[in-house]
């Protein structure tokens, strides 16, 4: 009996990762062709939010920690990037790096304060810290208060390539998005990712094997915050604005929604989720505040009916890894 | 300080909201022996294990391991000193394969565990050692199985293989054979005997024939207190033990 069951399981493993490779190539191909058929600005926005959601998913989907304050890293990276580009006159790549490092630092501080808490307490502390920094953004001079930082110059990449050209900007965003996406995939499939999986599966056992699990969770938290920062900083260059919206709590909620709709703990889910939510906001813009109601309904439907999200359901139906 | 004592507790006590689960336990485990901790349900055996490995903080008392006071250490640090425990409720990583379960332990020791930029394929370097450990516990034909799919006895065997992967100086096994059939029991008992050749084992076990055959020293716990201690002969002839423990239907 032992021998019989062994063979099919052995065969199953490589096929699972092949589905990811194929899905990635399809995604990359679509993103390369898409700007010729639809608004590049919209697509760039989708990629920024997709990266934001992927970064968030790294934490909730692969460590099991619900942060309810990820707007903090997204928004503050956006501010610092915008300020660096506009006031300090840094080139866009340096401005994005500045924003990203800011998010990493904030992630480290928030992580140190929150990581020992469990479940709802973790979510509450991350939310509280994010709101604290929201009020700071509201009061601080350099953020421009209600106006935000407007008219951020896109500048020249490495001082050479003018990002004022939409297609040049598009290529840069595409490279950042795909690069970070692959990095997240690598993190999940690394020796470190293996430990994260063990911690999620059975934390007490991981501790009994000598793993200081808090340190691994903190590391994952900082990585997640950092990549959320890259998303926020890139968005500031693309849309040439950093504003309070990006740092306020509804933004933290939106990224939860995107991840849930797409499929928590799936690598492609957050990308699909970001696309669906942004498309909806765009199409439903004429109905104004009703967007919020519709989003609320989707949220409830996801929680009650489609727990796996769009990509999660697809993966289940076709028995593949996505 | 006696060098032959690897683990020693002094007046170890644990209270849960007024209820004393472990009360003034002073235990000495000699290096290189298999030491059994027995007692009726609720006697405080598992709580003792939790105290020894710092999964619980003692209300009172001290713990010394290899001559060093470990009372204030974190559980992961205790494990790093070579004092590794298993759990009463089988502790595997359910949605990881048998191979991955064992590799997690090997990976911790060799220290690449924060490398998030490397491919998990680099973990293949541990395969050889992992497969040897897996063969040791008779799981060779289950290597690619998810741990959750294993029958109960095999899960326990996997747990022991994972623990052994750390090459611990001392193992604490909490009812390693509970819920197993005869065949499994004999296999695991033989395995424990073999691995105990060059390490110390402290185990909780209800099956008295296993204890008789396997263990050098036995400590009997009832209601959180040590009732008797000695080899099987001494303990099983102790009238108090017969009354408190064997009388309850475990014999
Ligand atoms: N976390 C806890 N909070 C409160 N009481 C507890 C806790 N853990 C254990 N106890 C109590 O302490 C006593 C000893 O429990 P313990 O699990 O150590 O017994 P045991 O000897 O391992 O029993 P068994 O043979 O059933 O495994 C029990 O009465 C139990 O209810
Ligand atoms: Mg017990």
């Amino acid at each position: 009996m032992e021998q019989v069951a062994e063979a099919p399981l052995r065969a199953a493993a490589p096929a699972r990762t092949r589905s990811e490779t194929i899905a990635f190539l399809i995604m990359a191909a679509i993103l390369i062709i898409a700007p010729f058929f639809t608004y590049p600005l919209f697509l760039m926005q989708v990629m920024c939010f997709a990266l934001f959601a992927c970064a968030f998913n790294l934490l909730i989907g692969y460590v099991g920690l619900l942060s309810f304050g990820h707007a903090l890293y997204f928004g503050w990276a956006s501010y610092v990037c915008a300020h660096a580009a506009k006031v300090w006159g840094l080139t866009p790549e340096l401005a994005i790096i500045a924003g990203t490092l800011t998010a990493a630092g904030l992630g480290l501080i928030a992580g140190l304060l929150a990581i020992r808490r469990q479940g709802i307490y973790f979510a509450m502390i991350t939310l509280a810290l994010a709101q604290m920094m929201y009020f700071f953004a509201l009061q601080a001079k350099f953020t421009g208060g209600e106006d935000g930082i407007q008219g951020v110059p896109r500048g020249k990449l490495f001082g050479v390539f003018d990002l004022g050209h939409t297609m040049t900007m598009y290529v840069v965003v595409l490279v950042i998005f795909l690069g970070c996406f692959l990095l997240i995939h690598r993190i999940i499939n690394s020796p470190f990712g293996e430990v994260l999986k063990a911690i999620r599966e059975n934390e007490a056992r991981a501790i009994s094997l000598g793993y200081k699990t808090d340190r691994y969770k903190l590391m994952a938290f900082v990585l997640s915050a950092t990549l959320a920062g890259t998303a926020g900083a890139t968005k500031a260059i693309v849309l040439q604005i950093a504003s309070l919206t990006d740092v306020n709590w509804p933004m933290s909620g939106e990224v939860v929604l995107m991840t849930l709709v797409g499929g928590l703990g799936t690598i492609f889910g957050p990308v699909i989720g970001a696309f669906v939510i942004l498309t909806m906001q765009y199409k439903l813009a004429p109905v104004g505040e009703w967007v919020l109601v519709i989003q609320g309904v989707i949220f409830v439907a996801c929680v009650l009916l489609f727990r796996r999200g769009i990509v999660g359901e697809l993966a289940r139906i076709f028995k593949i890894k996505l | 300080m006696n060098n032959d004592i690897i683990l020693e507790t002094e007046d170890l006590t644990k209270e849960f909201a007024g209820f004393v689960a472990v009360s003034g336990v002073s235990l000495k485990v000699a290096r290189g022996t298999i030491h059994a901790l027995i007692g009726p349900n609720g006697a405080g055996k598992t709580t003792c294990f939790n105290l020894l490995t710092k999964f619980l903080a003692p209300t009172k008392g001290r713990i010394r391991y290899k001559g060093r006071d470990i009372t204030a250490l974190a559980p992961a640090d205790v494990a790093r000193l070579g004092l590794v425990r298993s759990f009463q409720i089988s502790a595997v990583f359910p949605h990881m394969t048998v191979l991955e379960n064992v590799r997690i332990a090997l990976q911790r020791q060799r220290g690449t565990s924060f490398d998030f930029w490397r491919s998990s394929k680099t973990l293949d370097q541990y395969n050889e050692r992992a497969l040897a450990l897996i063969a040791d516990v008779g799981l060779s034909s289950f290597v690619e199985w998810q741990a959750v799919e294993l029958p109960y006895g095999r899960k326990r065997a996997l747990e022991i293989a994972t623990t052994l992967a750390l090459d611990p100086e001392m193992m604490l096994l909490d009812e390693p054979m509970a819920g197993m059939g005869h065949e499994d029991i004999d296999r695991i008992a033989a395995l424990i005997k073999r691995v105990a050749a060059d390490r110390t084992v402290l185990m909780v076990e209800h099956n008295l024939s296993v204890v008789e055959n396997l263990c050098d020293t036995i400590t009997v716990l009832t209601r959180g207190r040590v009732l008797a201690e000695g080899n099987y002969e001494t303990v099983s002839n102790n009238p108090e033990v017969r009354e408190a423990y064997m009388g309850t239907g475990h014999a």
Side-chain angles (χ1 to χ4, degrees):
Chain A
M1 175 209 121
E2 300 166 12
Q3 304 298 340
V4 182
E6 184 186 7
L9 277 166
R10 260 185 204 288
R16 280 194 215 148
T17 51
R18 198 175 315 135
S19 64
E20 288 182 341
T21 310
I22 293 169
F24 179 78
L25 292 175
I26 293 173
M27 178 176 81
I30 290 175
L31 287 173
I32 289 168
I33 304 168
F36 300 104
F37 295 93
T38 181
Y39 306 108
L41 195 65
F42 173 72
L43 291 169
M44 288 191 271
Q45 220 176 328
V46 168
M47 284 191 277
C48 290
F49 277 99
L51 176 55
F52 183 25
C54 286
F56 172 78
N57 185 41
L58 179 62
L59 204 55
I60 179 89
Y62 295 91
V63 193
L65 290 173
L66 170 61
S67 157
F68 206 77
H70 254 47
L72 166 57
Y73 318 109
F74 186 76
W76 272 89
S78 179
Y79 276 129
V80 170
C81 175
H83 186 77
K86 187 175 175 181
V87 181
W88 299 340
L90 293 188
T91 50
E93 74 283 357
L94 291 179
I96 290 174
I97 289 172
T100 302
L101 291 178
T102 305
L106 290 169
L108 181 63
I109 296 166
L112 281 169
L113 292 169
I115 214 74
R116 281 168 189 278
R117 317 279 162 218
Q118 310 281 332
I120 191 73
Y121 297 102
F122 179 83
M124 275 160 52
I125 289 190
T126 51
L127 173 62
L129 291 170
Q131 282 312 97
M132 221 174 76
M133 288 304 284
Y134 163 76
F135 286 113
F136 182 44
L138 189 63
Q139 301 299 331
K141 276 242 153 52
F142 91 95
T143 59
E146 303 277 0
D147 298 331
I149 305 176
Q150 298 185 11
V152 178
R154 282 188 177 172
K156 289 187 170 159
L157 187 74
F158 307 123
V160 180
F161 305 104
D162 187 357
L163 298 185
H165 295 293
T166 306
M167 274 318 195
T168 317
M169 184 77 241
Y170 187 86
V171 170
V172 170
V173 176
L174 182 63
V175 168
I176 291 174
F177 170 69
L178 293 180
C180 289
F181 183 89
L182 288 176
L183 175 63
I184 290 171
H185 183 265
R186 172 46 65 85
I187 292 171
I188 295 162
N189 295 287
S190 69
F192 174 70
E194 199 75 1
V195 178
L196 288 184
K197 186 167 183 197
I199 292 173
R200 200 180 31 167
E201 291 260 293
N202 190 339
E203 183 166 1
R205 181 54 171 161
I207 293 171
S208 80
L209 294 177
Y211 283 107
K212 299 180 180 195
T213 55
D214 285 344
R215 292 192 189 174
Y216 291 84
K217 291 189 202 167
L218 179 61
M219 176 77 137
F221 191 91
V222 173
L223 286 170
S224 171
T226 306
L227 288 161
T230 307
T234 308
K235 184 179 165 271
I237 297 290
V238 170
L239 297 184
Q240 303 184 274
I241 182 170
S243 71
L244 282 174
T245 325
D246 296 336
V247 83
N248 201 4
W249 67 266
M251 185 57 77
S252 296
E254 207 156 283
V255 77
V256 177
L257 184 63
M258 287 173 181
T259 308
L260 267 182
V261 167
L264 201 138
T266 65
I267 179 105
F268 292 96
V271 181
I272 300 294
F275 176 76
V276 169
I277 298 294
L278 285 183
T279 305
M280 212 182 65
Q281 287 175 352
Y282 183 71
K283 298 272 184 213
L284 296 180
V287 297
E289 294 290 297
W290 282 97
V291 174
L292 293 177
V293 177
I294 294 169
Q295 279 188 3
V297 171
I298 291 181
F299 184 83
V300 172
C302 275
V303 171
L304 294 180
L305 301 171
F306 311 104
R307 289 226 180 146
R308 287 172 226 264
I310 297 169
V311 174
E313 289 294 340
L314 287 175
R316 185 181 61 89
I317 292 166
F318 296 109
K319 293 195 173 55
I320 49 174
K321 200 171 162 196
L322 285 173
Chain B
M1 180 75 244
N2 187 343
N3 257 339
D4 287 323
I5 301 299
I6 185 165
L7 183 73
E8 186 179 5
T9 71
E10 220 173 84
D11 194 27
L12 201 57
T13 301
K14 180 69 191 178
E15 289 178 25
F16 293 114
F19 172 76
V20 186
V22 171
S23 164
V25 169
S26 295
L27 194 69
K28 280 189 171 66
V29 180
R31 192 186 294 270
T33 60
I34 304 183
H35 192 127
L37 193 58
I38 66 173
N41 293 113
K45 306 180 293 294
T46 298
T47 306
C48 254
F49 269 30
N50 284 333
L51 293 173
L52 292 175
T53 49
K54 299 310 313 293
F55 276 71
L56 285 175
T59 312
K60 209 168 70 181
R62 308 224 67 83
I63 308 162
R64 214 168 293 131
Y65 171 69
K66 294 205 287 181
R68 171 175 175 184
D69 192 318
I70 59 164
T71 320
L73 288 190
D77 289 317
V78 172
R80 281 156 180 261
L81 288 176
L83 178 58
V84 181
R85 69 171 301 181
S86 71
F87 292 81
Q88 180 166 358
I89 296 157
S90 130
V92 293
F93 302 110
H95 298 100
M96 294 167 79
T97 66
V98 168
L99 183 67
E100 287 168 343
N101 265 270
V102 177
R103 282 201 318 202
I104 277 290
L106 291 170
Q107 173 188 351
R108 203 278 281 153
Q109 272 205 309
R110 322 240 169 138
T112 55
S113 296
F114 278 105
D115 296 1
F116 63 82
W117 58 92
R118 267 183 233 283
S119 162
S120 51
K121 289 204 179 68
T122 57
L123 295 174
D124 287 349
Q125 61 176 303
Y126 305 125
N127 283 0
E128 200 184 324
R129 178 91 188 97
L131 290 172
L133 286 159
I134 289 166
D136 250 2
V137 297
L139 288 179
S140 290
S141 47
F142 296 90
V143 172
E144 293 292 325
W145 283 44
Q146 301 258 306
V148 66
E149 303 166 332
L150 294 174
Y152 187 77
R154 304 285 184 175
K155 274 191 193 132
R156 302 312 309 245
L158 172 58
E159 207 183 327
I160 292 178
T162 308
T163 305
L164 281 174
L166 294 177
D167 195 15
E169 231 176 305
M170 178 164 183
M171 292 167 76
L172 304 189
L173 306 174
D174 198 348
E175 304 196 23
M177 296 167 221
M180 284 190 185
H182 269 298
E183 238 172 85
D184 282 337
I185 289 181
D186 291 345
R187 195 156 38 82
I188 298 296
L191 175 70
I192 291 173
K193 188 144 204 154
R194 191 151 43 86
V195 303
D198 50 4
R199 59 190 107 231
T200 312
V201 175
L202 175 64
M203 61 190 283
V204 172
E205 186 50 62
H206 280 305
N207 186 323
L208 289 183
S209 71
V210 169
V211 171
E212 182 179 5
N213 291 323
L214 208 57
C215 302
D216 306 298
T217 316
I218 296 157
T219 299
V220 186
L221 216 58
T222 52
R223 293 190 203 142
R225 292 179 179 281
V226 176
L227 187 66
E229 193 169 88
N231 62 18
Y232 189 78
E233 236 72 86
T234 324
V235 167
S236 60
N237 287 326
N238 182 317
E240 271 184 295
V241 174
R242 296 180 82 91
E243 163 119 12
Y245 182 61
M246 320 239 167
T248 59
H250 281 288

